[in-house]
Amino acid sequence: MTAGTRSATATEVAGDGRPFVVGIGGTLRAGSSTEQALRHCLAAVRRHGGRTALFCGEEINLPMYNPHDPARTEKAVALVEALRRADAVIIGSPGYHGGVSGLVKNALDYIEDLRGDATVYLDNKPWGCITCAYGWQAAVGTLGQLRVIGHALRAWPTPLGVAINSAEPIWDADGTLTDEAVSAQLELLATQVLTFAPAGGARA
């Protein structure tokens, strides 16, 4: 679990009154376009006063979710506990063959562990969506799937979802976001997530 480039401390997860936003996504390739977009959006959340934790790459490389086996790895427990405390969630997925990647979908399946909580699943929590794909068709199609998943988890998808066409020159050689339109969209997504999050970090 990372906040920026470092692990979040127990105190940060426990809360200090600021909204706590959990980012999930990316690929098993470090520094993928999806991971970079998530990091950029979470950095905007922090600039606007939120706290963040990011689960990406190897941190969501979890065993296939089995609702009939209560055993959980340390990484799975950390993910579920962060989601339990989250005031809002931002999901980033690559578009693989027109849909959400298996890595991201499996991580989201672990939200089933929240079915018995007082706040079932992600009930009433803002749900921001980011997709990256080599072409608009997969990027937009995957974005629609993430929004449907959010509804199924009782979350509120934000009015804006960000679909990124990785075939276009979005990042420079150092991984810096250079597309002003995409940057503005990720900034707006961050502000929408915080706008709809419970005031004062009510769940953190």
Side-chain angles (χ1 to χ4, degrees), residues 153-180:
L153 294 170
R154 305 188 186 185
W156 291 96
T158 55
L160 176 70
V162 181
I164 298 173
N165 183 357
S166 300
E168 298 182 354
I170 305 297
W171 317 93
D172 66 15
D174 297 323
T176 301
L177 180 59
T178 58
D179 188 297
E180 293 183 2

Side-chain angles (χ1 to χ4, degrees), residues 32-42 44 47 129-133 136 139 160-172 175-191:
S32 67
S33 294
T34 312
E35 179 183 327
Q36 291 181 64
L38 267 171
R39 289 184 180 277
H40 190 92
C41 191
L42 292 178
R47 286 197 303 273
C129 303
I130 301 170
T131 60
C132 296
W136 286 114
L160 176 70
V162 181
I164 298 173
N165 183 357
S166 300
E168 298 182 354
I170 305 297
W171 317 93
D172 66 15
T176 301
L177 180 59
T178 58
D179 188 297
E180 293 183 2
V182 171
S183 179
Q185 289 176 4
L186 293 172
E187 185 85 15
L188 179 56
L189 179 61
T191 59

Side-chain angles (χ1 to χ4, degrees), residues 82-109:
L83 288 167
R84 176 173 283 122
R85 295 179 178 276
D87 295 299
V89 179
I90 299 175
I91 305 297
S93 176
Y96 285 170
H97 306 125
V100 177
S101 74
L103 180 74
V104 172
K105 180 58 170 65
N106 185 55
L108 296 180
D109 286 344

Side-chain angles (χ1 to χ4, degrees), residues 1-16 18-24 37-55 59 82-83 85-90 190-191 193-194 204:
M1 174 175 59
T2 56
T5 57
R6 63 180 178 79
S7 296
T9 67
T11 300
E12 287 171 327
V13 173
D16 61 1
R18 294 176 293 158
F20 179 45
V21 180
V22 173
I24 303 172
L38 267 171
R39 289 184 180 277
H40 190 92
C41 191
L42 292 178
V45 169
R46 293 192 296 276
R47 286 197 303 273
H48 290 288
R51 297 177 298 120
T52 67
L54 173 61
F55 293 81
E59 292 160 338
L83 288 167
R85 295 179 178 276
D87 295 299
V89 179
I90 299 175
T191 59
V193 163
L194 289 173

